[in-house]
Amino acid sequence: MKKVINNYKSITEAGIKKSEEQIRHFQYYDILTGLPNRFFFMEKLSEEVEGLKAKETIGAVLSVDLDDFKLINGILGHNYGDLLLRIVSQLLCLCTRNYGTVARHGGDEFLILIPNIENIEKVKLLCNNIMESFLDPFEVKDKQIYCSVSIGICLINNEYRDNNEILKNADTAMYHSKEKGKNKYSFFNTDMLQVMLRKKSIENALRDALAKQEFQLYYQPQVDVKTKKTKRLEALLRWNSSEIGSISPDEFIPIAEDTGLIFRIGEWVINSACKQLKSWREKGYKVDTISINISPVQIQDRYLLELVNKAIRENGLAQDDLEIEVTEGTLIKTIEKKSEILINLVNSGVKISIDDFGKGYSSLNYLTVLPISTLKIDKSFIDKIVESPSYYAIVECIIQLANKLNYVVIAEGVEQEEQYIILKELRCDLIQGYFFSKPLPQDEIEKMLMGE
Ligand code: C2E
Ligand code: MG
Ligand code: MG
């Protein structure tokens, strides 16, 4: 009996020892990739920071994040995503073998600790090596996957006391790389922190902006080239925050998109613009159409059609009183994804306008897929139309294309009389820009309409 107990005891001790080792392993290593995890990394970082203090040298922490990994996971499934992460982790170890430690931070984010850098060139070389090693596609089972990385670097010296701050700064630099177009590396600097802090404060203020009634719609006339009379109006959102002051839509719309706040803000825009058109019609002003900008995020909203139809119905408007402005990029992506939402909107009779036409895309195939009503030539073309024969020729072609396809064609950002004269010559339909009018609040639009 005693023997049995002893055996039992000895097996248990060995077992416990093994379990302890396993627990320790799980505590410090990532199961999927086998790399050290965040805890391991933080401990190592603490040791190194202490070492730096003694040696007075410089080290670096790199935050490495895969670009568009969500898309890969979404399209190919998590099996492929997991396998890709394992291959990537091996590749990162290979690139970093003479430099320092690689760890998995979580998700598709990795950390690299370089304990001692003699000069910044060494870090740049490592980043370039990593980015170059991602140029060829990854062979994952039966698929070839193209993938790039965005890298943020925080240099560490003996002034840093807080490891979390080091990681946060490396992350901030990594997000900066993403914002600058991905597949890049950036060194952290305090300006980036300022940008992040401003973003955060805009995000916070944006959360209360609707409740505090801080939004307002301005309207910019789209003027008939021949008669110089306002035919349509584009609704443009204005935000005067009680905390931050006035902020441009170019700055706050992307933040509203990232945070999902765009859905409620967009709903407010649609309702307000429709209400305004109804009120102008009741007062006897002649406005054919109101156009509203819709962001790519809103195009994914299942309730968009319902929302638009409700606003049209409640304000006694016709479907084609409203035009939705979407950028070319959004339109192409929507068609590629075969998204029903935009198609249903078009089928419901709402007009679709291509905003910023010509900016960045060369494929024109999509023009044959959806019945589009209006094409807005991007300001960057109009800017150069007077002095550049090439730009003149491009604009001439776009207008001819639009005419042939029976689209209404609008020139955006017309600022000078010379531009207006050329566009009239080229038989552009409508003109929008400071030459005629800046975007104006409702009462000033009324004064302007009255004077026409
Ligand atoms: P967009 O739709 O291309 O609007 C035209 C922008 O150009 C407006 O800027 C307008 O004020 C400006 N603009 C018009 N004529 C001229 C000109 O002659 N010269 C110059 N320099 N600029 C001119 P804004 O109002 O700051 O809006 C910027 C962008 O923000 C818009 O570009 C649109 O993409 C977005 N946006 C504005 N309102 C909304 C909204 O309600 N919802 C969504 N999703 N996006 C909006
Ligand atoms: Mg627009
Ligand atoms: Mg535009």
Side-chain angles (χ1 to χ4, degrees), residues 234 293 325 355-357 376 378-379 412:
E234 177 176 3
N293 292 284
E325 289 196 9
D355 208 350
D356 308 341
F357 182 81
K376 297 183 75 179
D378 190 60
K379 181 176 182 302
E412 283 193 90

Side-chain angles (χ1 to χ4, degrees), residues 354 357 364 367 372-377 394-411 426-430:
I354 311 174
F357 182 81
L364 293 174
L367 294 178
I372 285 145
S373 359
T374 308
L375 192 152
K376 297 183 75 179
I377 309 174
I394 293 171
V395 171
E396 185 178 26
C397 283
I398 298 178
I399 294 173
Q400 282 172 3
L401 174 79
N403 286 340
K404 287 228 165 83
L405 292 168
N406 273 333
Y407 300 161
V408 172
V409 58
I410 304 182
L426 294 178
R427 296 205 282 150
C428 184
D429 298 312
L430 302 173

Side-chain angles (χ1 to χ4, degrees), residues 13 55 76 156 179 189 232 238 250 253 344 354 358 378 388 401 415:
E13 266 172 4
K55 287 184 277 180
L76 298 175
I156 41 178
E179 276 178 14
N189 63 44
R232 309 168 166 203
R238 295 292 175 261
D250 281 329
I253 296 275
N344 291 341
I354 311 174
D378 190 60
S388 160
L401 174 79
E415 293 178 342

Side-chain angles (χ1 to χ4, degrees), residues 195 198-204 206 239 247 249-262 265:
V195 172
R198 174 153 172 101
K199 263 182 113 170
K200 203 71 213 156
S201 66
I202 289 179
E203 184 185 323
N204 288 340
L206 210 48
W239 177 32
I247 303 146
D250 281 329
E251 189 173 10
F252 73 78
I253 296 275
I255 299 172
E257 290 174 348
D258 282 352
T259 50
L261 290 164
I262 192 71
I265 297 172

